Amino acid sequence: MNTVLVQEIIRYNRLLEIMADTLVQMKRGLKGEIVLSEDLEMMSTSLGKNQVPKLWADKSFLSEKPLSSWIEDLNARIDFLNNWIKFGTPKVYWISGFFFPQAFITGTVQNYARRHVIAIDELSFEFNILDDRSYMDITEKPEDGCYIYGMYLEGARWDSHKHFIEESRPKELYTDLPLIHLVPARNRHPPP
């Protein structure tokens, strides 16, 4: 998983560098030290409208959030990565905190394949929904696979009593999906 962490850090550092550079240029432009380019003028307009500037969005994780919520989300993502660096591999992964979650999923399968000496193309995932607990309740990493949280359902909801997807409640477009245990499985057969 170290490769995934390094790739994520590179992507976030690239975004933070662009943000820092453009903010410095914006400040200099507002002071009259430099002429504001069209991109910087558009950035200024976006900031005034609480929108993520295009210069940042082009190098950013996918998000439809307004600027203030986007900044909070960015800070949470950076905290997630910093905690991973400081405290080691997390017990539970915030899947929506990844810039490129596909790399994380692939890394999980690769780790399993190496540990069990199985060809990676023979593996797929079993998904165990753990709706009887929160990601905060997890104290140990699973022996195989990983725990993830931070996924959402659109136009549906998870019913914790029946243990399957139900229609969403009125005026509830997005709902949280419970904690999931992703378990790589050899020659997995879908349930009937």
Side-chain angles (χ1 to χ4, degrees):
M1 287 303 186
N2 288 339
T3 304
V4 173
L5 177 60
V6 169
Q7 290 172 347
E8 289 290 314
I9 290 169
I10 289 169
R11 288 183 180 100
Y12 280 104
N13 280 343
R14 189 177 304 133
L15 171 59
L16 294 173
E17 285 174 20
I18 288 169
M19 291 173 67
D21 289 346
T22 54
L23 287 170
V24 167
Q25 290 176 21
M26 174 71 65
K27 186 176 178 181
R28 290 185 64 209
L30 293 173
K31 286 182 176 179
E33 295 174 2
I34 62 170
V35 176
L36 285 178
S37 67
E38 185 178 338
D39 285 341
L40 289 177
E41 284 187 32
M42 288 172 51
M43 180 177 149
S44 175
T45 302
S46 294
L47 293 174
K49 293 180 177 179
N50 194 31
Q51 297 172 342
V52 178
K54 184 175 181 342
L55 290 169
W56 300 355
D58 288 346
K59 298 292 182 186
S60 176
F61 48 91
L62 293 176
S63 178
E64 296 292 325
K65 294 181 178 184
L67 180 62
S68 54
S69 299
W70 183 85
I71 293 290
E72 288 177 8
D73 192 27
L74 176 62
N75 287 333
R77 290 164 180 258
I78 291 169
D79 287 345
F80 171 70
L81 294 176
N82 280 334
N83 287 335
W84 188 344
I85 293 165
K86 288 178 188 171
F87 305 114
T89 308
K91 294 170 186 67
V92 182
Y93 293 91
W94 179 32
I95 192 77
S96 55
F98 286 109
F99 215 111
F100 190 61
Q102 297 91 323
F104 167 73
I105 298 294
T106 301
T108 301
V109 174
Q110 286 174 337
N111 286 346
Y112 183 89
R114 284 187 199 117
R115 185 178 310 121
H116 296 279
V117 193
I118 300 172
I120 195 168
D121 57 348
E122 293 181 22
L123 296 172
S124 59
F125 276 107
E126 288 182 2
F127 306 91
N128 299 320
I129 306 292
L130 307 176
D131 54 10
D132 60 338
R133 64 194 100 160
S134 161
Y135 73 92
M136 306 280 284
D137 299 332
I138 301 299
T139 58
E140 306 241 345
K141 299 174 197 172
E143 189 171 323
D144 285 320
C146 62
Y147 296 124
I148 62 169
Y149 72 99
M151 292 183 68
Y152 303 91
L153 294 172
E154 181 178 356
R157 67 182 171 87
W158 181 260
D159 187 319
S160 297
H161 302 292
K162 296 178 183 175
H163 307 291
F164 60 83
I165 295 175
E166 288 276 358
E167 287 188 30
S168 62
R169 293 184 177 100
K171 299 183 182 182
E172 204 176 60
L173 183 58
Y174 299 102
T175 58
D176 293 341
L177 198 56
L179 179 69
I180 301 173
H181 183 193
L182 297 180
V183 185
R186 186 176 200 170
N187 298 325
R188 178 184 169 270
H189 299 288

